[in-house]
Amino acid sequence: MRPTRNRVRAALVAGGRAFALSFASLAGSAVLFVLSILSIAFVLLGVGLVTTPWIMDLVRRHADRRRRLASAWSDISIPASDRTFPKDVRSGFTGQVERTVLLLKDPATWRDLRWLLVDMTAGYVVLALSFALLLFPLEGLVLAAGLWRVFEDDAYWYMFVPVDSQLTALAAALLGVLIFHVGVWSSERLLRLHFVLARSALAPTPEELTRRIDRLTETRHEAVDTAASELRRIERDLHDGAQARLVAMGMNLGTIEALIEKDPAQAKKMLAMARTSSAEALTELRDLVRGIHPPVLAERGLGDAVRALALRLPVTSEVTVELPGRADAPVESAAYFAVSETLANAVKHADADRLWVDMHHAEGMLRISVTDNGKGGAVVGSGSGLSGIERRLGTFDGVLAVSSPAGGPTMVTMEIPCALS
């Protein structure tokens, strides 16, 4: 009895989910498909240059929501496309042209449109069957309960059963029970089939997956090189800084030991020098530890760590944080140092007197933007500090986008896929 009850409960849950999802499948996908086609058609008129990036972003969010539901409801993974935008997108009309051309060249855009077409047709039909097979039997039961009397003069067809008497109404109820059993058996399978259809339309091609693997392999190698370089820097800082001071302090203590009875005044002076050296060595060690992993980041999270970082800047800064939880420690560390280097670049090169940092998490993505009112002209290229930030984010499959027209302002946007706990 219990297994049967569990199967019925699972089927009803799947049917309810299919019913709720059917509205997004039919109305949402149909509206977005029509808007997308019209926007692309109006590109030649100039209107589409403004609307296409915005509408394609809505389409992508719509598809990403379906990916999450597929994973949560049917344990089906639909890989997301690696959509890479220009590293330096200009503002104004030229920037809109660049964005639109990039979107129209991106195979992911056409896959999304193909999925919208599939979702509002075959995808909707599958969802409708998932919940209709559970709802339709209710009509047979209602007919058997007495509604058949309304159709005594003119038979009502319940599928292939003409209902015009109590006997035929009972036959309709029996047919409804059989349909309900079919619905219990198939509801979850039909919901899963819907997500399988979505995966067939949205999943990247093998060539794209190969390119993505190559890119991830490259970023992993860069991460290893960066880590090795960081270890060499730490070793060098220890050798030239704190270690040298500690060695000198040890030699001074040896001299003090020899002078403490012969020349107490000189020993006292050297003891003060040793105390100063120990304080300087401790400061250098603290700075070194802060450069490896700031204590405030470990204790209070990314938001407070960036706020503390902004307070030490010589320019006015404003930090907005909307993070309902914390990301994994490696992600927080990468994001913190990316923001730190971006702020340092802005202070050093942009001639800015005001900075804004915005951090929020939405749809599985940590998004950080750093804006300054400086002179602009920042680019991502060989030898640029922004290239190092891009490599750091690439380790986590993150992306970096820079908008920095001549005369400013400059906006550096970073995105890292992650979940918050």
Side-chain angles (χ1 to χ4, degrees), residues 49-318:
L49 295 174
V50 178
T51 60
T52 299
W54 176 68
I55 292 175
M56 288 299 103
D57 183 62
L58 291 179
V59 171
R60 191 180 192 191
R61 293 177 183 225
H62 184 51
D64 287 342
R65 280 193 291 270
R66 195 62 53 88
R67 287 184 173 95
R68 290 195 298 274
L69 291 178
S71 177
W73 289 355
S74 294
D75 198 25
I76 291 178
S77 176
I78 305 177
S81 300
D82 187 17
R83 179 172 288 169
T84 305
F85 288 92
K87 298 174 181 177
D88 186 10
V89 180
R90 288 170 284 183
S91 61
F93 180 76
T94 304
Q96 287 297 117
V97 173
E98 288 179 356
R99 292 185 184 92
T100 304
V101 170
L102 176 69
L103 283 169
L104 295 181
K105 287 182 177 180
D106 191 352
T109 298
W110 302 104
R111 273 201 309 275
D112 289 346
L113 293 178
R114 181 182 62 188
W115 167 72
L116 290 177
L117 186 60
V118 171
D119 192 51
M120 68 186 191
T121 53
Y124 173 76
V125 170
V126 172
L127 290 174
L129 282 173
S130 180
F131 65 81
L133 290 173
L134 299 174
L135 291 177
F136 188 59
L138 294 177
E139 185 178 352
L141 297 177
V142 172
L143 288 169
L147 187 63
W148 66 269
R149 300 180 187 279
V150 179
F151 308 105
E152 283 184 294
D153 298 330
D154 187 11
Y156 175 81
W157 287 87
Y158 182 75
M159 292 190 69
F160 53 82
V161 177
V163 179
D164 56 3
S165 65
Q166 184 64 55
L167 183 61
T168 54
L170 290 174
L174 179 60
L175 179 60
V177 171
L178 293 175
I179 294 174
F180 182 77
H181 278 80
V182 173
V184 169
W185 178 82
S186 63
S187 184
E188 288 184 279
R189 291 174 172 83
L190 288 170
L191 182 61
R192 183 177 179 83
L193 177 60
H194 169 83
F195 292 124
V196 170
L197 289 173
R199 181 176 60 187
S200 66
L202 285 173
T205 63
E207 291 77 11
E208 290 178 277
L209 291 176
T210 300
R211 287 197 298 270
R212 185 173 184 181
I213 291 172
D214 292 341
R215 179 175 177 270
L216 289 174
T217 301
E218 180 181 353
T219 58
R220 297 302 184 270
H221 290 162
E222 290 175 348
V224 171
D225 294 341
T226 301
S229 176
E230 191 72 8
L231 287 174
R232 288 193 296 270
R233 181 190 67 81
I234 294 171
E235 183 181 6
R236 184 175 61 252
D237 290 347
L238 284 172
H239 182 272
D240 297 341
Q243 180 179 332
R245 292 186 184 278
L246 291 173
V247 170
M249 187 173 63
M251 296 174 63
N252 287 339
L253 289 174
T255 304
I256 292 170
E257 187 179 8
L259 292 176
I260 197 167
E261 294 181 359
K262 299 179 180 179
D263 192 349
Q266 183 65 22
K268 187 176 181 180
K269 290 181 182 179
M270 296 189 68
L271 192 61
M273 293 172 57
R275 185 168 58 249
T276 301
S277 295
S278 68
E280 291 175 348
L282 183 60
T283 300
E284 289 184 1
L285 287 173
R286 285 174 176 168
D287 291 340
L288 185 61
V289 171
R290 187 179 295 112
I292 298 172
H293 194 75
V296 66
L297 179 62
E299 296 170 3
R300 302 179 60 181
L302 182 60
D304 287 339
V306 171
R307 288 192 182 99
L309 187 66
L311 288 175
R312 298 197 296 267
L313 296 176
V315 299
T316 304
S317 58
E318 180 179 335

Side-chain angles (χ1 to χ4, degrees), residues 6-17:
N6 291 339
R7 282 198 298 269
V8 172
R9 184 184 296 113
L12 292 176
V13 169
R17 289 172 171 175

